[in-house]
Amino acid sequence: MRLLTAVFPAFFSLVTIADCLTTGRFCEPETGDDFQRAHVGLIISPIMSKKMIREIEIYWNHARYQPGDTIALYTSEPTDDLEPIYTLVPNAPSGIKRTGLQATFVPTSDLMFVQQCLKYHVAWLRNSTIRLTNCMRTQPRWMAERKDVLGSLSMNRMFLPGTHDSASYAIHERANSEDIIHRFVITQDVDVLAQLIHGVRYLDIRVGHYPFTNTVWWANHGLFRATPMQNVVDQVKTFLNNTNEIVIFDVQEFPVGFGSELGIHHDFVRYLEEQFAGYYLPKSYGWSSTLNTIWSSGKRLIIGYDEKRVVSLYGSVWPCVTHQWGNVRNIQDLFNYLSHIETESIGRFRSTPRSAMAELTPNTLDVITNRLGGIREMAEKVNINVTNWYNSKWQRTANIVAVDYVRSSGIIETAIEWNERRNSHC
């Protein structure tokens, strides 16, 4: 319970980290059922050591919990006579608990384009009877599945789960140690296709140009090459080919090889146009287009581009999403910054979407002294807080929220829930 005692008391208790998952439950009047507003869920810790990777964490919210209640973890759908692999007794209405158990590695090739539970289930038991369940769930079709509720919305009115430096990923089947470069460069532990299958709909892409290598275009994190751009492009196309979802592919920075002139930009835009021919929605549709309009077009990829001079010349690339960075180094300052931008957004119309970049930003001394740990350690401290804040304070103003190590947050679950609640008038 270290995270709860060390972090949450500075703000507020974890009372509403994820109230529930279906609109119907909220639209219904109070029934008196203790579990009507309760939630229990599973996330994957980003922490990796030589002995542990993908540690399963259980988080919960139940204002009406009772002494003697039990939360249990299973490897198949829970039943009253199934033996759990782990149990805990909640000692507070809300919390998060590391289990010490390592989740099985699931390669992207084993993921499907329909919702699935990835082996692990969790249940809340009272008097040895299962009252509430959840699982480690993918969400490959959540937008299309809610077309009736979400179709009239534009992308700047949606609550979209996103990833920061989406293509800066490293996939580890087994626990391993990381050098200092990887500790501050890698931001995700699954590839772009897996992120999309899990439910991410906003991709933050940084580009490097390396003309004297076999692979010219790379997805970068700062000066460091992360993934060949062709791999990223192919993964996005695979996802679009197998779903009816809408994706923002937002090219945000050009840290290597572009210079101040536009020549390389022209080459890269032509590359994107060629690779995404038949996929990208023309800029003429505009950010005010509704999801229904986008679906009707047959084109479901929006390419944002962080160079206004280029955007003005091409119909294929859109004004990029506005990144809102706090550039802060502790949880309190991150909360203060996010509170400021979300409060400021109330009643304010934006022509382009905005993304709350929900990460800490270490300075050089922090890196040298390891004061904050690497990106994994920072995500472990930040993500459960961000999930809570966007489920209990800024759920009605959120547009895009981008996180590191997305599986260690509940932001996808939270975004899906609040898209329903915000637009079902209940």
Side-chain angles (χ1 to χ4, degrees):
M1 299 297 293
R2 173 183 58 81
L3 181 60
L4 287 174
T5 57
V7 176
F8 278 109
F11 306 109
F12 39 79
S13 64
L14 187 63
V15 172
T16 51
I17 189 164
D19 293 323
C20 72
L21 295 179
T22 64
T23 304
R25 286 175 64 185
F26 292 102
C27 293
E28 295 170 356
E30 284 284 349
T31 64
D33 181 358
D34 279 3
F35 289 84
Q36 187 180 9
R37 301 288 188 259
H39 179 78
V40 63
L42 299 172
I43 57 177
I44 296 291
S45 171
I47 301 298
M48 181 174 68
S49 66
K50 291 183 178 180
K51 296 183 178 180
M52 176 63 74
I53 186 173
R54 296 185 301 277
E55 183 176 3
I56 301 169
E57 298 183 342
I58 300 171
Y59 69 97
W60 69 92
N61 164 46
H62 191 353
R64 297 178 180 177
Y65 88 104
Q66 294 181 5
D69 284 356
T70 303
I71 299 174
L73 179 67
Y74 303 84
T75 55
S76 60
E77 188 170 353
T79 60
D80 288 336
D81 58 354
L82 183 66
E83 190 70 22
I85 61 171
Y86 179 87
T87 60
L88 68 91
V89 176
N91 60 1
S94 56
I96 181 170
K97 178 68 174 176
R98 299 172 72 165
T99 65
L101 299 174
Q102 182 170 301
T104 300
F105 174 71
V106 180
T108 303
S109 58
D110 286 357
L111 298 177
M112 298 186 293
F113 296 99
V114 293
Q115 187 182 93
Q116 62 186 133
C117 290
L118 300 178
K119 184 176 180 178
Y120 299 99
H121 297 249
V122 64
W124 193 296
L125 293 86
R126 177 168 293 174
N127 299 323
S128 300
T129 300
I130 293 173
R131 299 295 306 277
L132 183 68
T133 63
N134 201 353
C135 71
M136 198 170 289
R137 181 181 285 108
T138 62
Q139 295 284 0
R141 298 173 179 266
W142 69 263
M143 291 174 118
E145 289 169 349
R146 293 158 179 82
K147 187 173 182 179
D148 290 347
V149 175
L150 306 179
S152 62
L153 301 179
S154 59
M155 298 299 266
N156 53 8
R157 292 178 54 206
M158 292 281 293
F159 183 168
L160 295 175
T163 45
H164 163 233
D165 265 304
S166 307
S168 185
Y169 59 83
I171 300 171
H172 294 272
E173 183 173 356
R174 296 176 178 83
N176 202 349
S177 58
E178 292 180 303
D179 60 33
I180 190 170
I181 301 299
H182 284 85
R183 292 180 66 239
F184 290 95
V185 169
I186 302 303
T187 61
Q188 307 297 331
D189 58 3
V190 291
D191 63 24
V192 168
L193 178 56
Q195 293 170 41
L196 294 168
I197 290 173
H198 278 282
V200 168
R201 295 296 175 265
Y202 172 77
L203 301 175
D204 167 28
I205 305 296
R206 322 295 176 89
V207 187
H209 178 238
Y210 298 86
F212 304 113
T213 63
N214 290 333
T215 301
V216 175
W217 305 112
W218 282 76
N220 274 35
H221 186 170
L223 300 179
F224 297 94
R225 288 183 285 185
T227 309
M229 186 60 65
Q230 190 63 51
N231 292 4
V232 180
V233 167
D234 290 344
Q235 290 175 51
V236 172
K237 290 196 290 189
T238 296
F239 180 75
L240 293 171
N241 288 341
N242 287 277
T243 70
N244 201 30
E245 300 296 278
I246 300 167
V247 174
I248 300 176
F249 184 94
D250 202 30
V251 182
Q252 275 285 336
E253 292 181 8
F254 312 92
V256 174
F258 279 78
S260 59
E261 302 300 321
L262 297 184
I264 306 303
H265 286 281
H266 293 310
D267 291 342
F268 185 60
V269 171
R270 284 191 287 267
Y271 167 80
L272 293 176
E273 289 178 337
E274 176 184 333
Q275 292 296 320
F276 286 128
Y279 293 87
Y280 66 81
L281 186 70
K283 179 181 61 180
S284 57
Y285 276 79
W287 283 115
S288 61
S289 296
T290 66
L291 272 62
N292 280 337
T293 299
I294 297 172
W295 276 315
S296 296
S297 75
K299 308 292 194 299
R300 291 176 286 106
L301 180 68
I302 296 173
I303 305 175
Y305 206 83
D306 188 19
E307 174 50 75
K308 293 180 180 178
R309 295 175 296 170
V310 172
V311 171
S312 67
L313 299 174
Y314 291 90
S316 53
V317 294
W318 297 41
C320 66
V321 169
T322 300
H323 273 193
Q324 297 181 303
W325 278 102
N327 291 318
V328 296
R329 300 163 57 220
N330 62 66
I331 301 292
Q332 178 71 62
D333 287 347
L334 180 63
F335 172 82
N336 292 342
Y337 175 75
L338 294 175
S339 179
H340 168 72
I341 64 171
E342 297 301 339
T343 301
E344 184 182 55
S345 73
I346 297 173
R348 179 181 177 184
F349 174 77
R350 283 182 175 268
S351 59
T352 59
R354 62 183 182 86
S355 178
M357 306 305 290
E359 298 85 32
L360 299 182
T361 307
N363 61 24
T364 302
L365 184 60
D366 293 329
V367 173
I368 293 172
T369 63
N370 200 36
R371 186 182 72 85
L372 300 176
I375 293 175
R376 291 179 183 272
E377 288 78 16
M378 287 184 278
E380 173 84 346
K381 297 170 186 175
V382 165
N383 282 355
I384 200 67
N385 285 281
V386 168
T387 301
N388 181 42
W389 300 335
Y390 277 96
N391 194 56
S392 63
K393 287 191 169 290
W394 312 314
Q395 62 272 34
R396 297 194 181 276
T397 59
N399 185 189
I400 300 169
V401 181
V403 298
D404 292 328
Y405 292 97
V406 66
R407 296 191 303 167
S408 68
S409 78
I411 203 66
I412 293 170
E413 206 170 55
T414 297
I416 294 171
E417 170 198 330
W418 279 101
N419 276 313
E420 292 184 344
R421 293 183 67 177
R422 277 162 44 165
N423 300 288
S424 297
H425 310 293
C426 64

